[in-house]
Each structure stands twice: as C-alpha cells, then as structure tokens.
Amino acid sequence: MLQINSSRYKYTPDEMPEDEFLKRFVVREKVFEEIFKDIKASDYEVANQHFIIVGQRGQGKTTLLRKILIETKKDKNLSKFLIPVKFAEEQYQIRSLSRLWEEVADYLQSMYEDIFPNILDDMEEFFEDEDYELKAFSYFEKHIKKENKKLLILVDNIDELIGKFSQKEQRRFREILLTSSSFRIIGGSTKMLEQHYDYSKPFYEFFKIVKLKGFNSEESKKFLLSYANTEEKKKIKEVIENTPERLEVIRQLTGGVPRTLVMLFDIFLDEEGTAFDDLLKILDEVTPLYKHRMDDLPDQLQEIVHTIAINWDGMYTKEIAKKTRMESKAISAQLKKLEKYEIIESESIGKNKIYKIKERFFNIWYLMRFGRKKDRQRVEWLIAFLNSWCTKEELEFRAISLTQRIKEKDLNPNYVYYMSEALRFCNLNIEIDINLKMNSREYFKKIESSYLNELSSSDNEIGVISRQLANDGEVGKAVVLLEKSKRKSPFLLWQLSEFYIILGRYNEATELTKELANKLGLMKMGYLYLYAELLFECDKFNSCVLEIKKFLPFCEDSVILEILTKYIIKLSSKKQYNLAKELLELKEYNLKEKLKPIWFALMKLMQDEYPNEYKKMGAELESSVNEVLEEIEKLRDENN
C-alpha cells in the first residue's frame, strides 16, 4: 500500500517527522514560494500584508503552514528575529481575543522559555481588570519589542477563529493587524471569509487570498510517487507508464484533492483492509465538523444537500426539484446560496447546469453516514471509482481474488464488507457475484459480525428473482419487486420497461425508456431505438413498427439505414413478412430500391404469395440475397 510506517501521516502532516515531511513536499512549491518570498522581502518595521490560504479539507493548507514554519526557522536572516507560532488545526479553547493572546503567550513561554520565561504568567496578573485584553496585549507586545522579535502566527481555520470574536473584538483585531509591526498572520480556511465580500464588516478585502486548486495530472503523479514506499512506487509507475488514463480518472473523481487522492489509491492497492480502518477513523474525526456544517444550514438547504450528496453524481436542477418536491425557481435560488457557501459546485452543460458536492471527501462522509443500509448508497463513491478505474475483466478478477482471500485469511471485516458491497454493484458475472456474497456471509457469520445483516441484494440478484417471477407468470409481482428496489441500473430499468410492455403499461414503459436513454447518454434517436428494441423483445411487432417508422425521415443517413436494415431482417426472422414488406414499400422513402438484397430475400420467403417477384432479381444480387437469408435463419436458430 501507499501507507508508510504510520499511515496517519498522510492525513495529519504535523505528526510526520520533519525530514520525511520535507522529502514529500513536492507539489505546492510555487504557492509556497509566492508566500515565502513575500515573508522574506517584507519590511518588518511597519505592519505587513496578512494572508489566508483557502482550500477544501485535505487540499494541503496545514501542509503549507508547516512548510512555512520549518523554512522560517531554517532561514538564516528570518530566524534572527521572526518567531513562527503555529497552532493545532482545531483551537476550541480560543473564544475571545484575549484568549488568543494567552495562547500565543503560552506557546512562547513553552517553546522559547529562554527568551520569554514568564510572559503568560505576567499577563495573567491583569486578568481581573475590566480592560484585561488591552492591558494583556500592551504588555505582550511590549515584551516582544523588548526582545527585538516579530511573530508570524500560523492559524488553521482562521475563519472559525474570527467568527468566535465579538464585533467589537473583530474591529480591535483588525486595528492591531493594521497598525502593529509585531505580528503577521497567515491563516488557512476551508472557505472564503464571508467578511471579505461585505463592505460593512471589519475584514472587508483585508487579507490577501491564496486559493489552492486540485492537483493537475502531473502534480498528482509527483504527489503519489512521493507518498509511496519503494515497493509501491513500482506499482504506481506501472500505472503511470502503462495506463496513464487511470491516474487521470482517479484525479477527476477526487477533484485532485491530495488527501482523497491518496486515500482512494490506498484502497485500490490494499489487500488486507487497513486502508478502510484509516478511512473510518478519519470519518469519525471529521464528523463533528461536517455535522456542524449541516446543522448550520436551514432545513430547506439541508434537504437539497442531502439529495445531491446521496446521488453522488451531478444532478440537474429539475432532477433536484423532483426529488425534493420544490419548485425549480425556488431550487435555483437555494442552489446559488449553496454555491456561495462553497458546499456545492456547478458545471454548465449547454443551457443547463449540473450540481454536485464540491468537497468529495464530505460527500464520501455523507454517504457512509447516511446512505441506506442494504443498498448501494453507502458505497456509491467506491463503485464510481472501481467502475472508472477497472475494466470488467479486472473487476471480476478482484472479486474472485477477494472471495479466495476471504476463505483463506482473517481479513479486516470493514474491508470485506465495503469492498464486496461495491464490487457486487459493478455488473459482475452472476456466478462471481453470488459466490462473493455467499462467502462474505459465511465469514461474517463465523466472526459474529453485525455486517451479516447489512449485506445487500445486488442488481444481479434482483434481476434473477424478477425474471424468475415473470417466467412463472407472475409479471405483476416482478414489477412490484423492481419498483420497490428503486434501483436505477440500466439492466434493471430495461427489465422493468419490458415487464411494463407485457402488462400493457405503455406510458410507463415509454417514460422509463426515456430515463434509460438519458442514463446511457443517448439522444432522441437513441431513445426510439431502445423503445423499439423493447417492443420487439416483447413480441409487440405492430407497435415496434410504429416506432421504426419514426426513423424513416432520416433514412438517408447511413447509421439510420443500418438500423432499418436490422429491424426488417429481425421482423423477417420472426416471420412478420407483411410488416417487413410494409416498411420496404413506403414509396416516399424508396427502401425497396435502397435495400434490394433484403427485398428479394423477403420475396424468396414470400414466394408462395408472390411467385413472380423473386424471379425479377438480377444474377449479381444472388450472393447478397443468400447472405441475408442466412442471417435470418441464424436469428431464428438463436431464438429457438
């Protein structure tokens, strides 16, 4: 796996040994140089520009702040006077401006005891005074100046820190940062500081903003190679050299976010299950933050976020409106708010927009926490990754391999559950699918795991059961089963459409076929083709021909002509000679002339009714006509 000795390092860069950390800092070099160049070039006799690094969780803000801390200490000139002060990522105890000064003083007294042996103790002498913050800061700054030092304060989640201050404290903090040459702030934030855009707020356009973007392809490659051990570098290099498009798939799936990128790669390479343990630990740790994010939203926005998150893939406005039962206009206004809050992002597709959760790790957390049990929702993200990353053959190989390892080893239960659930929704061969579930079930039973009761029925299983019901004459029950499953895989949508047609529920079959065509990315012609195919499979030949006739105005197109050819041959194989003849003889489309071999093949089959028509065939067509007749006979054999 990508995991080094302590796999937690990839999620908590502050815990990594310094030499290891510096070796792995290979990507955000330009962003670092931009900020560090400013730090080195600044005049520290006057107040300086303050920075906020903006990027979603896992984007590398904490890593950048630590790099700044290390390089500031190492720089010969800066280290003489500039003391970097870096707080932990979460600072729950800082709820006022005076508490901030206490924490900075505590850091100095602990880390630089030889310079500031009693700075915090002395500050606290003013604690009972009404103007404690003013006196504390004055004393604090006085001692910093006395030692000819400056402070570079590195604060993660600075937006949350400032948000805890009262309006009066915010104005006071802004005044200090504007006028004091003793302090410089570089903060990290998962979102733009709302005050940055509000003219009435103290921090309107106050900070210089540095936005972190997801890695591009080259950066992703460098990053993954830097995080892998020697053995795993070989595997990554093999992927990059032999199938570079796979790396691009995982980059797009994760948005190029470093933490999510390495996590998914870890899961792909993991064969024992430790990567899933890491994932679940991280999900537990971010739960308070993500829960707070959801709880802060009004009810209507919560419902919209839930709808988009559970879907995983992007959604159109009308799809969100349908799911939430809200008006499209109202939805559009709410979506704009969520984009402003940077919870969702949009992509223009023609005149429409597709919306999805911006932070993919938040989406993974949401699915894992709120996805329905015994359903694909909880592993939708993993299904998307596996389907994008692997061929069908590779997926089936992974499923067979996992089945074998379940039999032979004591694997991690989390790994067995989540990987088997995801693989079984990747359209495996039915035998491989059932075998994987059976062995997973036996394993969970043996170790008495609660996962035993959470295994879901795959699309394969539901499809087999519904087909058996239909074969037994219980088509109505088959429909109920498919409708209740609420599954949207093309395979089951096709099956349900077929059963609707058998029951004569043509309107529902039509709508479902449209949904299937959209899911497959087909335009109107694609939908017509699918629906005609369904009608044909259900032996509704007259209805099928009505749909085929909709293709006729476009019969000059070679692709459309090929489709028409296929259906006339298929109709002939089912001995629907009159329907085939009807299509060929429509004078306005002249198919009889365009498809002469098919016409004469049909006349050969209908020679009892039309004994002279076949005799009109020229000798040069005989070979082509025989090929058509052979194809018709072959289709008959396949259908018997």
Side-chain angles (χ1 to χ4, degrees):
M1 281 163 286
L2 289 177
Q3 296 162 333
I4 56 179
N5 191 30
S6 175
S7 60
R8 306 268 297 151
Y9 290 162
K10 59 179 168 283
Y11 305 117
T12 52
D14 280 345
E15 296 177 15
M16 191 182 296
E18 187 174 304
D19 58 339
E20 192 73 35
F21 172 85
L22 292 173
K23 272 195 291 184
R24 289 161 191 255
F25 191 89
V26 295
V27 179
R28 301 276 189 208
E29 291 155 319
K30 286 185 179 178
V31 179
F32 165 74
E33 287 298 335
E34 176 191 341
I35 299 172
F36 201 61
K37 183 178 178 182
D38 190 287
I39 291 172
K40 290 196 291 185
S42 296
D43 178 1
Y44 285 89
E45 295 305 312
V46 296
N48 279 292
Q49 175 70 63
H50 306 277
F51 287 81
I52 290 185
I53 303 165
V54 178
Q56 59 182 264
R57 290 186 73 85
Q59 193 73 279
K61 302 180 300 298
T62 304
T63 299
L64 264 174
L65 292 177
R66 187 180 181 194
K67 173 71 170 174
I68 292 167
L69 171 83
I70 292 170
E71 296 302 333
T72 301
K73 286 182 175 181
K74 288 171 64 177
D75 188 277
K76 289 182 180 179
N77 293 323
L78 291 176
S79 60
K80 293 176 183 176
F81 67 91
L82 189 61
I83 298 176
V85 176
K86 187 176 185 302
F87 292 155
E89 190 170 349
E90 307 296 344
Q91 286 292 319
Y92 300 111
Q93 75 277 25
I94 301 177
R95 58 188 184 277
S96 65
L97 188 54
S98 59
R99 198 76 177 88
L100 173 63
W101 305 135
E102 289 173 1
E103 287 299 313
V104 176
D106 186 28
Y107 184 95
L108 294 175
Q109 188 168 301
S110 300
M111 303 297 291
Y112 297 90
E113 189 177 3
D114 55 330
I115 306 174
F116 303 103
N118 302 305
I119 189 169
L120 175 62
D121 300 335
D122 292 343
M123 273 175 57
E124 289 181 341
E125 291 182 10
F126 308 110
F127 185 71
E128 299 298 330
D129 295 358
E130 286 186 14
D131 55 353
Y132 168 61
E133 188 276 320
L134 291 171
K135 288 182 178 178
F137 175 73
S138 177
Y139 176 83
F140 183 45
E141 186 178 39
K142 176 182 171 183
H143 274 68
I144 292 168
K145 287 180 177 179
K146 179 182 175 184
E147 298 296 336
N148 293 316
K149 300 296 181 184
K150 308 288 182 180
L151 299 185
L152 179 64
I153 303 177
L154 307 168
V155 188
D156 232 330
N157 299 320
I158 193 170
D159 55 319
E160 295 180 13
L161 179 71
I162 292 174
K164 293 177 183 177
F165 296 166
S166 67
Q167 284 293 312
K168 182 179 178 181
E169 286 178 320
Q170 287 182 17
R171 288 192 293 271
R172 163 84 173 142
F173 190 38
R174 181 180 186 275
E175 180 186 349
I176 290 170
L177 296 180
L178 272 175
T179 58
S180 175
S181 63
S182 300
F183 302 90
R184 190 169 196 180
I185 295 276
I186 299 180
S189 176
T190 56
K191 59 182 182 293
M192 282 294 292
L193 198 65
E194 287 188 28
Q195 293 196 21
H196 187 78
Y197 300 110
D198 191 338
Y199 181 77
S200 65
K201 299 294 183 181
F203 291 100
Y204 172 70
E205 294 188 346
F206 182 79
F207 292 95
K208 182 174 181 179
I209 304 298
V210 177
K211 287 189 176 181
L212 297 185
K213 296 179 180 178
F215 289 163
N216 60 31
S217 297
E218 187 59 31
E219 289 170 336
S220 298
K221 180 170 70 174
K222 285 176 69 177
F223 174 73
L224 287 171
L225 286 171
S226 77
Y227 263 77
N229 60 37
T230 304
E231 181 184 342
E232 295 307 327
K233 278 184 180 178
K234 291 178 184 177
K235 293 183 181 180
I236 297 172
K237 281 180 179 177
E238 284 176 12
V239 169
I240 292 168
E241 290 171 4
N242 300 328
T243 52
E245 67 277 5
R246 292 190 179 190
L247 186 59
E248 182 59 15
V249 163
I250 193 174
R251 187 192 71 81
Q252 291 180 2
L253 185 65
T254 60
V257 174
R259 180 175 63 187
T260 317
L261 188 69
V262 79
M263 182 201 75
L264 281 188
F265 219 103
D266 237 6
I267 285 171
F268 175 73
L269 295 172
D270 185 15
E271 293 187 350
E272 303 300 327
T274 52
F276 272 97
D277 275 353
D278 288 341
L279 169 62
L280 294 174
K281 286 174 187 172
I282 296 301
L283 290 174
D284 282 341
E285 287 175 10
V286 298
T287 290
L289 175 76
Y290 287 158
K291 188 176 183 302
H292 179 64
R293 179 184 296 181
M294 288 298 293
D295 290 345
D296 277 355
L297 295 174
D299 293 347
Q300 203 171 55
L301 292 186
Q302 286 181 2
E303 185 176 2
I304 294 170
V305 171
H306 170 83
T307 300
I308 298 172
I310 287 295
N311 194 68
W312 177 259
D313 295 321
M315 298 181 76
Y316 289 107
T317 306
K318 63 180 181 181
E319 292 175 322
I320 301 168
K322 184 178 178 181
K323 286 278 186 182
T324 57
R325 298 175 186 172
M326 299 181 196
E327 293 289 331
S328 289
K329 286 184 179 179
I331 286 285
S332 295
Q334 302 293 11
L335 289 171
K336 286 179 181 177
K337 288 182 183 178
L338 288 170
E339 277 198 276
K340 182 183 175 184
Y341 298 155
E342 298 193 4
I343 293 174
I344 64 171
E345 61 183 359
S346 64
E347 179 183 351
S348 295
I349 308 291
K351 294 181 180 179
N352 299 312
K353 283 187 175 182
I354 285 179
Y355 295 90
K356 63 182 179 182
I357 299 296
K358 183 171 184 177
E359 186 185 340
R360 302 315 273 163
F361 196 76
F362 170 66
N363 206 151
I364 289 171
W365 170 83
Y366 201 93
L367 287 168
M368 295 280 277
R369 288 291 179 267
F370 302 109
R372 287 192 300 269
K373 292 183 178 180
K374 296 191 175 183
D375 194 6
R376 63 183 287 158
Q377 284 182 348
R378 286 202 287 181
V379 290
E380 192 70 59
W381 58 276
L382 187 52
I383 297 167
F385 166 59
L386 290 171
N387 274 325
S388 300
W389 184 264
C390 303
T391 64
K392 181 175 175 60
E393 291 75 20
E394 287 169 336
L395 287 167
E396 293 190 341
F397 176 80
R398 289 180 73 88
I400 293 168
S401 175
L402 177 57
T403 303
Q404 194 61 36
R405 282 184 286 120
I406 290 171
K407 292 178 184 177
E408 296 172 353
K409 296 183 178 182
D410 290 328
L411 296 180
N412 185 300
N414 293 323
Y415 170 70
V416 173
Y417 174 73
Y418 288 109
M419 187 58 76
S420 64
E421 285 287 286
L423 283 168
R424 293 181 57 248
F425 282 105
C426 289
N427 196 28
L428 300 175
N429 168 280
I430 182 68
E431 187 178 336
I432 295 171
D433 179 349
I434 301 300
N435 199 24
L436 177 56
K437 181 175 183 179
M438 181 182 70
N439 280 277
S440 298
R441 183 186 295 280
E442 288 301 313
Y443 177 67
F444 291 138
K445 187 176 180 180
K446 182 179 76 172
I447 64 172
E448 299 182 347
S449 169
S450 60
Y451 283 137
L452 176 64
N453 300 316
E454 294 182 21
L455 290 170
S456 57
S457 296
S458 68
D459 291 349
N460 271 330
E461 286 181 89
I462 291 173
V464 167
I465 296 168
S466 62
R467 178 62 67 187
Q468 188 60 53
L469 285 169
N471 290 344
D472 292 343
E474 302 282 2
V475 181
K477 288 184 179 179
V479 166
V480 170
L481 172 66
L482 290 171
E483 287 176 338
K484 281 188 174 180
S485 77
K486 296 183 179 179
R487 299 289 174 82
K488 298 295 182 182
S489 67
F491 160 56
L492 293 182
L493 288 178
W494 177 273
Q495 200 170 78
L496 182 55
S497 300
E498 181 186 332
F499 295 159
Y500 279 152
I501 289 169
I502 292 171
L503 294 175
R505 293 162 62 174
Y506 293 107
N507 289 338
E508 288 162 289
T510 301
E511 289 305 309
L512 204 58
T513 310
K514 285 179 182 176
E515 183 180 341
L516 178 56
N518 287 333
K519 197 170 189 69
L520 298 174
L522 301 175
M523 303 300 282
K524 185 177 180 181
M525 286 297 178
Y527 151 68
L528 291 175
Y529 177 83
L530 276 180
Y531 193 45
E533 191 78 5
L534 266 171
L535 290 165
F536 187 89
E537 292 296 323
C538 296
D539 293 341
K540 305 292 183 181
F541 301 119
N542 287 303
S543 298
C544 176
V545 169
L546 288 175
E547 295 303 316
I548 292 169
K549 284 180 178 179
K550 294 175 184 177
F551 286 95
L552 291 172
F554 311 98
C555 65
E556 295 301 325
D557 184 285
S558 60
V559 174
I560 300 300
L561 194 62
E562 189 177 331
I563 290 171
L564 291 167
T565 300
K566 172 188 171 182
Y567 272 108
I568 293 169
I569 290 173
K570 286 178 72 170
L571 286 166
S572 300
S573 74
K574 292 283 190 177
K575 298 187 177 182
Q576 300 297 313
Y577 301 140
N578 287 321
L579 287 173
K581 183 171 177 286
E582 178 187 332
L583 285 170
L584 288 164
E585 286 188 318
L586 290 169
K587 290 182 180 179
E588 61 268 42
Y589 302 113
N590 201 26
L591 291 181
K592 182 177 172 180
E593 285 299 312
K594 291 175 182 173
L595 303 174
K596 272 188 178 182
I598 294 175
W599 169 256
F600 283 116
L602 182 62
M603 290 302 100
K604 173 75 171 175
L605 294 168
M606 299 180 75
Q607 61 185 342
D608 288 346
E609 295 176 63
Y610 305 98
N612 297 320
E613 193 67 27
Y614 180 69
K615 295 176 183 177
K616 296 178 183 178
M617 179 186 74
E620 75 280 359
L621 291 174
E622 185 174 358
S623 177
S624 298
V625 169
N626 286 336
E627 285 178 7
V628 174
L629 289 168
E630 286 173 10
E631 189 174 348
I632 289 170
E633 194 59 38
K634 183 182 176 184
L635 284 173
R636 283 178 180 167
D637 290 341
E638 289 173 357
N639 290 326
N640 289 333

